[in-house]
Amino acid sequence: MVVIPSSIRHTRRVAVDKVHTIICNRVNVGDEQYLVRWHTENKTSTPPLSWHLVNELQRCLEHVQDYLDERERSKKIVSRNKVPSKKRKSSEEDLETKRRLSPFDRRLQHDSRTPSASRSSSVFSNVPPASSTSPDVYNGVLDVDEHGFVFCRPASGPDVASVSITNIPTAAMKQIAYQADVRTANTLIRAEYVRRLRHVPGPPIELFNTVDASTPSLRFRYIPQYVLAEGVYQYALDTAIGCQKCSPRMARDVGCEYTQKCDCLEYAAVDEGRLTSEEKKLYERCLAEGLSTMGLPKKFPYYAKDTKIRLTRGLVPWYLQSRRPIYECNDRCRCGADCRNKNVQFGRKVEVEIFKTKSGRGWGLRCKQNLRQGQFIDTYRGEVITDEEATRRENTSSKAKASYLYSLDKFEADMQHEAYVVDGEFMGGPTKFINHSCEPNCRQYTVSYNKNDPHIYDIAFFACRNIPAYEELTFDYLDKEEDEEMEDPGEDAIPCLCGAAKCRKWLWT
């Protein structure tokens, strides 16, 4: 259970749209406080800055989390570069914090701990104090917008402290920040993420972390389906052809049953084992001349043990092993809502848990129930962008960014333009957290609801073997079929941390 800390003091929350970044933190009179840099209309070296209680920042916890992540990275860099001092010191004294402060450091440190009586009367006249001492303000004065939210507007004068952003935070401020308690901020961030998970449609998604105090990024937005970026176009609904010869009451009352009749399976794999001698000749001709195989028996993708419980449906072994595209029926079909050829389009039906791994691989995903081989888990969602935009994003980000880009190039031969790419870094579903393994328990498959659209389709994850509850879900980022061990390809490769017995040791970007 997440417990949100409360304060008996009156606090007024800040105007989130006016916040630029958080640049420092401290503990003042037992309260966690953060130094806010505010937006300005013009570029300046003296933007407004002000200290605020963490409870005042609950509407902009994304900014707080961004700062805390950067703070942790900076602490690690300082720790790696720190050279032990040869000077004698006692066990209770840290020379790094006891070093002689510059006049500028001393003034900022004094301002951050001792309020100025003359300044508080002019700077804070419009805002009730958020703590026993008024928050410090630089290059501006605190004000309140029409909705009652606090912001800092630019100002200058004898009663306004002026500092340059190039000098803040100082070394002394950073040292104080590194040692300051941030538990309240971490708790608020965790509680906000859990709150957002509760609003994601479908079975519950839980968050579990006993490794550290971190939380997945609050900037990640959960979406129920693809978001199309500028320049991306999806085929219109009228291009989707539904099956017209099928009905909800065919055979075992499972909708589509006779694969020779279902129009949606026109491009599905032909069931060669069921071909008659005449059909084999026709099939060979279709392959040679590129003709439609409609009318020939097809491989049906799903099994269904109970027509009323969709969770009993799963991918048949042939499709699990072949990786052939899956064509589902759509809303224009006559086979009914319970047709067994509708599975992925109903969305995730299993409870999942985002958890922090203990192996140094960051966040992972696991199911809270046993999964059967062939069972559908969820789709990979995100922003669909052009190939040009994907290249631009790759060139302006780290190598790890490539892990979130998924090219929709399954039907490359039928495309009229470069394949679109799904970027799941900042928006998508819980499958973003599925880690790589060279011996995965899940595999990704192409699922189309419109056989005439080769550009946009779903990427669906299925269990490729039985998976016990709480076993981490993994898939092969390289989508390799072979088991060979790969050599070190050089500086463009990323070391693989999957820990599998047949680990290939390296990943490519």
Side-chain angles (χ1 to χ4, degrees), residues 264-502:
C264 297
L265 299 179
E266 178 180 1
Y267 302 137
V270 171
D271 190 349
E272 298 181 27
R274 292 169 53 199
L275 295 176
T276 65
S277 58
E278 290 299 318
E279 288 174 334
K280 287 181 180 179
K281 294 178 181 179
L282 176 59
Y283 181 46
E284 291 174 358
R285 180 187 171 194
C286 291
L287 292 177
E289 302 179 15
L291 303 176
S292 171
T293 57
M294 187 64 198
L296 296 176
K298 301 298 177 67
K299 292 280 189 180
F300 206 86
Y302 303 120
Y303 64 80
K305 294 182 179 178
D306 188 323
T307 61
K308 302 301 180 183
I309 304 176
R310 294 192 179 107
L311 284 178
T312 61
R313 302 181 184 188
L315 202 59
V316 299
W318 188 90
Y319 271 91
L320 275 175
Q321 298 165 9
S322 72
R323 313 301 301 284
R324 290 291 296 267
I326 299 167
Y327 294 93
E328 289 195 4
C329 291
N330 56 60
D331 292 339
R332 297 172 68 87
C333 296
R334 295 185 177 181
C335 52
D338 291 325
C339 172
R340 71 163 173 166
N341 197 33
K342 294 179 178 179
N343 188 8
V344 172
Q345 61 192 266
F346 292 130
R348 177 176 55 87
K349 297 298 181 182
V350 295
E351 294 185 26
V352 293
E353 183 176 82
I354 302 166
F355 73 103
K356 193 63 174 287
T357 66
K358 296 181 180 180
S359 57
R361 294 178 299 122
W363 297 94
L365 189 72
R366 57 195 179 196
C367 273
K368 300 181 65 177
Q369 64 191 67
N370 295 331
L371 296 176
R372 303 177 316 279
Q373 183 183 46
Q375 187 169 349
F376 167 63
I377 300 170
D378 202 356
T379 59
Y380 188 84
R381 299 183 290 280
E383 182 185 15
V384 182
I385 58 179
T386 62
D387 181 73
E388 180 182 5
E389 174 62 15
T391 300
R392 187 193 69 79
R393 295 185 185 186
E394 282 183 307
N395 292 336
T396 57
S397 62
S398 66
K399 292 190 297 182
K401 177 63 164 55
S403 299
Y404 299 110
L405 297 176
Y406 213 121
S407 183
L408 299 177
D409 57 2
K410 186 73 172 181
F411 306 106
E412 202 164 11
D414 301 321
M415 292 180 178
Q416 287 78 48
H417 53 71
E418 289 287 341
Y420 292 140
V421 179
V422 182
D423 186 353
E425 182 177 16
F426 296 114
M427 61 179 75
T431 53
K432 172 197 173 175
F433 300 101
I434 300 182
N435 282 316
H436 163 81
S437 176
C438 297
E439 295 183 277
N441 53 22
C442 302
R443 298 182 88 175
Q444 63 275 28
Y445 297 83
T446 294
V447 180
S448 175
Y449 317 115
N450 181 358
K451 64 183 182 182
N452 295 319
D453 187 352
H455 298 287
I456 296 181
Y457 51 82
D458 269 347
I459 301 165
F461 291 95
F462 290 82
C464 58
R465 61 169 171 80
N466 293 333
I467 305 175
Y470 295 99
E471 178 181 314
E472 182 179 359
L473 303 178
T474 58
F475 76 101
D476 190 341
Y477 285 7
L478 302 181
D479 202 15
K480 296 290 292 184
E481 301 287 348
E482 302 86 1
D483 294 326
E484 78 274 10
E485 183 173 328
M486 306 176 79
E487 297 180 357
D488 180 354
E491 61 181 12
D492 290 334
I494 300 173
C496 181
L497 304 176
C498 75
K502 297 182 180 179

